[in-house]
Amino acid sequence: MTTHTIPYAAGLGERGLLRLATAGSVDDGKSTLVGRLLHDTKSVLSDQLAAVERVSRDRGLTAADLALLTDGLRAEREQGITIDVAYRYFATATRSFVLADCPGHVQYTRNTVTGSSTADVLVLLVDARKGVLEQTRRHLAVAALLRVPHVVVAVNKIDLVGFAQDVFERVEAEVQSVARDLGVAEAQAIPVSALDGDNIVDRSTRTPWYTGPALLELLEALPPSEDVRAESFRLPVQLVIRPQGAAVSEEHREYRGYAGAVASGVIRLGDEVVVLPSGQRSRVVGIDLGSESLSEAFAPQSVTLRLADEIDISRGDIIAAAEGAPEPTQDIEAVVCWLGDAALRPGQRLLLKHGARTVQAFVRSLDGVLDLDDLHAVSAESLSLNDIGCVTLRLAAPVPVEDYAVSRRGGSFLLIDSHDGRTLAAGMVGATLPSAPPAPVAPEGDEDFDI
Amino acid sequence: MTVTEVPSPARDQTLRADASPAAYSTPEREPARRLTQLDALEAESIQVIREIAAELERPALLFSGGKDSVVMLHLAVKAFWPAPIPFPVLHVDTGHNFPEVLAYRDETVERLGLRLEVASVQDYIDDGRLRERADGTRNPLQTIPLLDAINEHRFGGVFGGGRRDEEKARAKERIVSLRDEFGQWDPKNQRPELWNLYNPRHRPGEHVRVFPISNWTELDIWRYIEREDMPLAPLYYAHERDVFQRDGMWLAVGPVSQPREGETVERRVVRYRTVGDMSCTGAVDSPAATNAEIVAEVAASTLTERGATRADDRISEAAMEDRKKEGYF
């Protein structure tokens, strides 16, 4: 590989990558906000902007409708809504951003789950005139469950309430209260007008009472994504690489490597590792990235490990740090976001994918579903589309899962329909739902004793 | 650059300019550096390629000789090294490709010892299975030969070089995109794609399109080409060519693109930002002759690559979406 010797032009230096997802109810102005972010960070090129201006004019609008930058499907443009996650890219001097613009309609909640699962930051839009709605609760619940490291609340359309401080503070308090109940670590609120650009890239003069950062300032200042490098080392083996055939050069005839993406932690040459679920131990003697040999690798690099001993390792196994490796188990308690059209019921058989392993599973019991009105678990017979519930699963083979709270990678799984292959649920091992507040205890009275 | 290289102080500042030391505890085993954006993109793409190759019985990789498919192939080499790439490459040849791109395609296939399958639009036109369109563009005609090739070879999935930043309908794509037996894409019914767990399972008759470089922008592609020191087909670099202007684009004079009445031919120094059919891919005036010069040019460009160079995307507001739904990319 080459090392750069030429100085980069401005804006071409190596930047970190931050993934953000948007959420909020229909008509909260998400697409407009995203369009505004792209436009104001100069990420919109002139031909894209020209197309938006042309379409806006054709529709008799007086100003360019920035939502058109992201609503790419015909039905979206016809209905003025966002149907599916759109991925957008923009960059500032210090950061590159991958933005998943997620629709607000309840039937597309699975897209919010999709966007949140990889997000470092969730930007949740709330309409200043409407405050917290069911979708706001749902999206905060998703953010809490999926443990999105940061939540930012954009209180939008602040221009429509006359830039009123008391309205903003009321909405902020309401959101914070729901966030607290759901266990969201932090939810910083910003008053914005996506339409006019107030507090998006630059601080607005129209909200003098607000002294915090503009949205982009905050996004640039957030600490870098969850540092999975600090967790214990894990590498789910995707492939065993054993070159065969005439084309393989002499020096690689004996090559045997275990290819995968480092899910968490750091691995160095000489480190002791354990293979799960077999429990066999060995030592790392080689780390390859393509034809390049490394002395260390860390999450999320895709590498190939070579070990000192010829042990039996196959796709789906996990190579882990020798100390503190998780116990493989066939019984899992988890919270799932149900994304299937047909309901989930106890006794159902499906497939579970964790890391690079897929095993058969069945639903032992359904232990509760999140009630979005009072934000705690209630009992249920089945889980419907978009429900969030607790389940107990039995697996056909032991899998070394970890608590999602400890490791986003080690604790996440998919449930898959074994007949048609559809993804039915996003699962988080060991997660729990808020239980009902304890009923008030009756005051102690005189106790009657039978004599 | 190598991953083990300890960054120079100046570089370290750019790497950590956004890090707040108090934000996370420093683990004992902190690696020498954080992943840069290009390294992170590379890692994600390699993971996708490996996962799909492991999950599907017979994938194929769409390879046209264009820059995106070249990057994809380069990533595939890294994914399986030192073993050879374990799947064939497929090219849907419209018959209107630039000869130098086809030559580059063949050289690359030869160099890497790959098996190349070609689905030829020309064959379909010659035997009457397809008819030439009135506007002469052949891009929409690629769908049927592609689907036939997928069925004939029973490919469970095909890797494509589509990028979300290219166009608005593509921005809606998943990395693993399910297609029905007609190759159709239903944007309203896409699979949730969670964490980095990819699920390419499907029913018989269906297949998946997989886009490992979904999250790369045009600039990322060029920076990577420069970093990895990859040579591309010559028409990506500045060269002299006979061109004429149509629809605000420089079209090459060739067998399928002749100037009409009132269009005058000029000899100019141009290069191509995208490579498609000669009939509808425009060149841009450019003196950029090396990867590094192209990186600088792309970074400063105020036009998207397709806006600057592709007539076939201008047909309608929803042109790309329609073609995706029909089973084209």
Side-chain angles (χ1 to χ4, degrees), chain A residues 153-167:
Chain A
V153 181
V155 180
N156 193 24
K157 307 191 184 184
I158 199 76
D159 52 316
L160 298 184
V161 295
F163 302 96
Q165 182 176 3
D166 59 332
V167 174

Side-chain angles (χ1 to χ4, degrees), chain B residues 147 150 155-158 177-180 183 202 205-209:
Chain B
L147 293 176
I150 288 170
F155 292 136
V158 276
S177 178
L178 187 71
R179 302 302 165 96
D180 66 10
H202 54 272
E206 296 175 335
H207 70 276
V208 290
R209 306 272 170 97

Side-chain angles (χ1 to χ4, degrees), chain A residues 122-140:
Chain A
L122 183 73
V123 178
L124 178 66
L125 265 82
V126 178
D127 187 326
R129 298 166 305 171
K130 298 178 190 163
V132 171
L133 302 171
E134 187 193 335
Q135 281 298 77
T136 319
R137 294 164 182 272
R138 195 182 290 274
H139 292 158
L140 278 168

Side-chain angles (χ1 to χ4, degrees), chain A residues 137-198:
Chain A
R137 294 164 182 272
R138 195 182 290 274
H139 292 158
L140 278 168
V142 166
L145 272 174
L146 291 169
R147 305 186 84 86
V148 180
H150 307 282
V151 175
V152 176
V153 181
V155 180
N156 193 24
K157 307 191 184 184
I158 199 76
D159 52 316
L160 298 184
V161 295
F163 302 96
Q165 182 176 3
D166 59 332
V167 174
F168 170 72
E169 284 172 354
R170 200 164 55 238
V171 174
E172 180 182 33
E174 199 182 4
V175 173
Q176 302 283 21
S177 149
V178 174
R180 251 195 321 277
D181 289 347
L182 287 166
V184 175
E186 52 156 330
Q188 190 165 347
I190 305 176
V192 304
S193 165
L195 198 63
D196 300 339
D198 295 84

